[in-house]
């Protein structure tokens, strides 16, 4: 049985992630590695907006445990209300960063996230796609 709706949703999410990665490559091409994460975040927001992508910067995610709200956390970017983007500017990506993104996906009930580390010579080496 073919799930046409699932294929269509997957294609739409892939198109969004491709655009996000393209924007991140453009930012990296212009700024290079070695800056603060906050600078890359602002530049990426500028690039996303210039390409017509809707995004929420520092989107608030409530932390709920067994029906009780414990607090809230902020995610770097939520693009098109479908893809969570977690930005880093570190020497190396630690396993906890991927675990963090997986937690954000679970908390928001989103399926796809991108972990982007700008502190690399070639940005493609700094992009990790995470699927829940």
């Amino acid at each position: 049985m073919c799930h046409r709706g699932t294929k269509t949703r997957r294609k739409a999410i892939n198109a969004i992630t491709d655009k996000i990665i393209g924007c991140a490559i453009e930012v990296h091409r212009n700024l290079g590695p070695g800056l603060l994460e906050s600078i890359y975040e602002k530049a990426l927001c500028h690039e996303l907006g210039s390409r017509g992508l809707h995004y929420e910067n520092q989107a608030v995610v409530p932390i709920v445990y067994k029906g009780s709200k414990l607090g809230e956390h902020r995610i770097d970017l939520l693009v098109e209300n479908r893809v969570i983007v977690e930005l880093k500017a570190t020497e190396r990506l630690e396993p906890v960063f991927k675990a963090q993104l997986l937690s954000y996906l679970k908390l928001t009930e989103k399926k796809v996230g991108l972990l982007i580390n700008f502190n690399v010579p070639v940005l493609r080496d700094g992009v990790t796609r995470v699927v829940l």
Side-chain angles (χ1 to χ4, degrees):
M1 181 176 173
C2 180
H3 297 285
R4 200 173 303 186
T6 303
K7 277 187 177 180
T8 303
R9 281 191 297 276
R10 193 176 305 131
K11 276 186 176 181
I13 288 177
N14 287 342
I16 294 166
T17 58
D18 287 349
K19 288 177 184 177
I20 296 166
I21 292 167
C23 290
I25 288 171
E26 182 66 16
V27 168
H28 191 266
R29 186 178 293 132
N30 281 278
L31 297 179
L35 300 174
L36 294 174
E37 182 183 309
S38 60
I39 299 298
Y40 294 114
E41 187 173 322
K42 288 175 185 172
L44 185 56
C45 287
H46 175 83
E47 201 61 41
L48 291 168
S50 73
R51 296 188 190 194
L53 289 165
H54 177 264
Y55 65 89
E56 249 187 280
N57 185 330
Q58 294 297 314
V60 175
V61 177
I63 309 297
V64 179
Y65 177 74
K66 294 187 176 182
S68 295
K69 184 176 177 186
L70 303 177
E72 56 190 36
H73 192 76
R74 293 184 180 274
I75 56 175
D76 291 337
L77 293 165
L78 177 59
V79 181
E80 294 292 328
N81 201 32
R82 297 180 88 172
V83 179
I84 293 176
V85 181
E86 183 63 22
L87 303 176
K88 299 294 178 195
T90 63
E91 199 63 37
R92 52 177 253 172
L93 283 180
E94 300 292 337
V96 70
F97 299 150
K98 186 175 177 181
Q100 182 183 38
L101 181 53
L102 280 167
S103 291
Y104 296 162
L105 290 171
K106 288 176 190 170
L107 288 167
T108 59
E109 299 179 350
K110 305 298 180 201
K111 299 291 180 216
V112 178
L114 291 173
L115 178 57
I116 302 175
N117 182 19
F118 282 95
N119 198 28
V120 291
V122 178
L123 190 70
R124 286 240 180 239
D125 297 336
V127 176
T128 304
R129 181 185 169 104
V130 178
V131 179
L132 186 61

